[in-house]
């Protein structure tokens, strides 16, 4: 509602005049936080569905005017229906060791978002030495969609993933402006250089992180996940639902050892499928229930 592109002035005015319950879903909440809060105040939003973890609700949205607004945590995406029919390719028939696609995030989002690039680059560096067949990229030109995405995810022994979200909560755009200024001075600056110069004092104050929808996609296709440890909405258990990769890559040898073990990969893929997909616990119906309960509670 704080962006005219999505909510033109005429629609904003109509929403403001409406006296019934107003509820809101926000995306990429870490950006323009104060502008979003101003819109919620003006519109008198009574219910916010947020990806902020419950214990941080009143810290992230600390404006006194929002004290009475109900906040309900939701996932960034939900799992396919458990009855969806899928043909799984056995692990021993998959021709690629690791398939991964992501994109480079703006530096002002913080270290957590940059981990998407780190995990890709470090595996690419080590692939030849570890004798791994990989198809990994964070370049826009290499992105794949639709059926091609499903085929690629189905034909790898494992895929990579990190937490979604951001580790910087930029309330008024201060961090973004500071990063832009630093990059104007040095357009070729690396993330680490910008982190040391600008980001470090802001990073990690409010962790806006979550499980990625690609985790559910991988689970549906019984493709094992190699992931950095993280919160993941409290859903995933390391070395049960995914292969834990330390952020400093100190256990990379043991990760590769498991990657070569058909039985170990099958076990972890089956467990992820059972708990994340077959259980129905994270299907879209659950989001419907949250919305219904949230409205009823206002």
């Amino acid at each position: 509602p704080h962006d005219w592109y999505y909510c033109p002035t005429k629609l904003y005015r109509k929403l403001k005049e409406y006296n019934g319950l107003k509820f809101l879903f926000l995306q990429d909440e870490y950006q323009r936080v104060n502008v979003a809060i101003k819109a919620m105040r003006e519109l008198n939003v009574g219910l916010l569905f947020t990806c902020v973890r419950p214990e941080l609700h009143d810290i992230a949205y600390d404006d006194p005017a929002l004290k009475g607004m109900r906040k309900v945590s939701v996932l960034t995406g939900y799992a396919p229906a458990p009855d969806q029919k899928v043909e799984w390719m056995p692990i021993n028939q998959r021709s690629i060791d690791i398939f991964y696609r992501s994109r480079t995030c703006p530096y002002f989002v913080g270290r957590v978002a940059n981990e998407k690039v780190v995990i890709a680059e470090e595996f690419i560096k080590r692939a030849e030495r570890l004798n791994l067949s990989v198809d990994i990229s964070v370049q826009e030109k290499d992105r794949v969609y639709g059926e091609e995405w499903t085929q690629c995810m189905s034909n790898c022994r494992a895929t990579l993933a990190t937490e979604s979200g951001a580790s910087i909560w930029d309330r008024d755009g201060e961090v973004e402006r500071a990063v832009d200024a630093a990059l104007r001075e040095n357009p070729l600056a690396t993330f680490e250089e910008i982190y040391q110069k600008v980001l470090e004092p802001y990073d990690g104050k409010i962790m806006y992180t979550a499980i990625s929808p690609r985790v559910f996609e991988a689970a549906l296709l019984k493709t094992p996940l190699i992931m950095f440890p993280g919160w993941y909405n409290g859903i995933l258990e390391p070395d049960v639902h995914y292969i834990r990769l330390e952020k400093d890559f100190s256990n990379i040898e043991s990760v590769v050892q498991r990657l070569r073990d058909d039985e170990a990969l099958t076990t972890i893929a089956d467990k992820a499928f059972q708990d994340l997909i077959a259980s129905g616990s994270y299907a879209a119906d659950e989001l419907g229930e949250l919305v219904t309960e949230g409205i009823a509670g206002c």
Side-chain angles (χ1 to χ4, degrees):
H2 55 287
D3 190 326
W4 65 266
Y5 178 86
Y6 296 102
C7 188
T9 303
K10 186 176 180 180
L11 176 57
Y12 191 94
R13 187 164 56 247
K14 284 180 175 289
L15 288 169
K16 192 172 180 179
E17 293 169 354
Y18 175 67
N19 292 320
L21 172 67
K22 282 165 271 194
F23 64 92
L24 174 66
F25 283 84
L26 283 177
Q27 183 176 1
D28 294 341
E29 296 168 77
Y30 55 84
Q31 244 178 317
R32 305 180 68 197
V33 178
N34 289 348
V35 184
I37 287 175
K38 180 175 182 289
M40 287 186 271
R41 285 200 316 258
E42 290 182 349
L43 295 176
N44 192 27
V45 172
L47 173 61
L48 173 67
F49 293 99
T50 172
C51 292
V52 174
R53 59 186 77 182
E55 66 270 23
L56 296 179
H57 283 173
D58 293 331
I59 298 173
Y61 294 107
D62 58 354
D63 190 298
L66 302 183
K67 193 171 182 63
M69 180 180 70
R70 189 174 187 196
K71 306 168 190 74
V72 177
S73 289
V74 294
L75 302 180
T76 59
Y78 284 77
D83 58 355
Q84 184 170 332
K85 289 183 170 51
V86 178
E87 292 186 11
W88 300 290
M89 184 181 296
I91 290 292
N92 61 6
Q93 294 180 20
R94 302 188 181 200
S95 60
I96 298 292
D97 288 322
I98 299 173
F99 168 78
Y100 178 68
R101 289 291 186 275
S102 188
R103 54 165 51 103
T104 302
C105 294
Y107 289 170
F108 67 82
V109 183
R111 189 172 291 284
V112 161
N114 192 59
E115 288 175 354
K116 297 178 181 179
V117 176
V118 171
I119 198 170
E121 290 180 344
E122 292 300 321
F123 261 102
I124 291 171
K125 284 180 191 175
R126 292 166 166 79
E128 186 174 355
R129 177 178 66 82
L130 295 170
N131 194 28
L132 292 176
S133 169
V134 302
D135 183 357
I136 297 172
S137 178
V138 295
Q139 302 298 316
E140 288 293 325
K141 65 181 179 62
D142 296 327
R143 292 182 70 81
V144 294
Y145 299 94
E147 185 59 32
E148 185 182 359
W149 171 261
T150 303
Q151 290 173 356
C152 290
M153 286 284 284
S154 299
N155 190 40
C156 61
R157 293 176 65 83
T159 188
L160 309 176
T162 62
E163 286 186 290
S164 285
S167 50
I168 293 179
W169 192 252
D170 195 2
R171 292 186 178 275
D172 58 4
E174 176 187 6
V175 183
E176 184 176 358
R177 290 191 296 272
V179 169
D180 287 346
L183 288 174
R184 281 196 296 271
E185 290 180 10
N186 181 9
L188 299 179
T190 65
F191 174 83
E192 289 300 330
E193 290 170 337
I194 296 297
Y195 188 86
Q196 296 299 323
K197 184 173 183 178
V198 177
L199 301 177
E200 190 169 14
Y202 304 96
D203 200 79
K205 304 297 184 184
I206 293 180
M207 295 297 288
Y208 179 70
T209 57
I211 188 172
S212 166
R214 76 169 54 201
V215 171
F216 295 118
E217 295 173 352
L220 176 70
L221 298 170
K222 292 195 176 183
T223 296
L225 288 145
I226 298 172
M227 304 170 68
F228 289 152
W231 178 53
Y232 299 114
N233 294 84
I235 293 171
L236 304 179
E237 186 177 345
D239 295 319
V240 174
H241 299 111
Y242 68 94
I243 299 170
R244 177 187 178 117
L245 172 66
E246 299 299 340
K247 293 186 179 183
D248 62 1
F249 279 70
S250 57
N251 68 330
I252 185 66
E253 299 292 344
S254 64
V255 168
V256 172
Q257 189 174 1
R258 294 188 70 179
L259 186 59
R260 306 212 187 284
D261 187 332
D262 292 352
E263 185 176 348
L265 290 182
T266 300
T267 297
I268 208 164
D270 286 348
K271 180 63 174 173
F273 177 85
Q274 187 60 44
D275 291 352
L276 275 61
I277 307 298
S279 68
S281 298
Y282 308 104
D285 288 354
E286 295 302 308
L287 176 60
E289 291 294 330
L290 281 174
V291 173
T292 302
E293 292 169 7
I295 292 173
C298 288

